[in-house]
Amino acid sequence: MTVSASLDINNLMVEHSGLQIGIVFQALSHEVRREMLASLAREELSVSSLARPHAMSLAAASKHVKLLEDAGLIRRRVVGREHLCRLDARPLAQVTEWLRFYESFWTEGLDALGELVEINDEKEK
């Protein structure tokens, strides 16, 4: 494999990875979809069962489910006329890995805040 071909493959992987993360963030951006995922973390549910707590039509719930499915966050299987959904949390691992890079920024900020609080406590004594 040439260096050029290797770079092209790596670029495609990064672009695909970024695209996948973007789709996952888009799916997680709506409260209803986050609640659907929470429900699916407990058990496999039909689309109508996912719609019920949100007082929405089956068509509206199906649109939310489709976006979750496109993001790879759920798997759907059809049993007769019923569409059953289950959680697939693997894309969340990719998002977690991406966020982990930024964790040091808020951890450092919290550590600095803790030090300031300790210094203020010492001054007040």
Side-chain angles (χ1 to χ4, degrees):
M1 179 180 289
T2 68
V3 173
S4 175
S6 176
L7 289 174
D8 288 341
I9 290 171
N10 286 335
N11 286 341
L12 285 173
M13 288 172 55
V14 169
E15 289 171 12
H16 176 71
S17 174
L19 177 64
Q20 182 65 28
I21 288 172
I23 293 169
V24 172
F25 275 125
Q26 181 183 7
L28 296 173
S29 70
H30 199 284
E31 182 180 355
V32 166
R33 291 189 291 269
R34 290 191 305 270
E35 289 174 7
M36 286 179 168
L37 287 177
S39 296
L40 292 171
R42 292 185 291 275
E43 62 183 316
E44 182 178 62
L45 293 168
S46 67
V47 174
S48 58
S49 295
L50 288 169
R52 196 169 299 117
H54 306 288
M56 66 174 54
S57 69
L58 197 53
S62 292
K63 288 179 183 180
H64 285 295
V65 167
K66 177 70 173 130
L67 209 152
L68 291 168
E69 192 173 31
D70 290 347
L73 291 166
I74 65 168
R75 300 284 177 232
R76 186 189 327 211
R77 65 187 180 99
V78 180
V79 178
R81 294 180 53 174
E82 196 168 49
H83 290 237
L84 299 173
C85 303
R86 64 180 170 80
L87 176 67
D88 184 348
R90 289 179 291 181
L92 294 175
Q94 193 177 26
V95 170
T96 300
E97 183 179 322
W98 183 83
L99 286 170
R100 196 166 286 126
F101 170 79
Y102 297 98
E103 183 177 17
S104 64
F105 294 103
W106 67 74
T107 302
E108 289 171 9
L110 289 174
D111 290 345
L113 179 61
E115 289 173 16
L116 284 173
V117 168
E118 287 177 17
I119 290 169
N120 284 337
D121 285 349
E122 290 297 320
K123 286 181 180 178
E124 291 178 2
K125 289 182 180 179

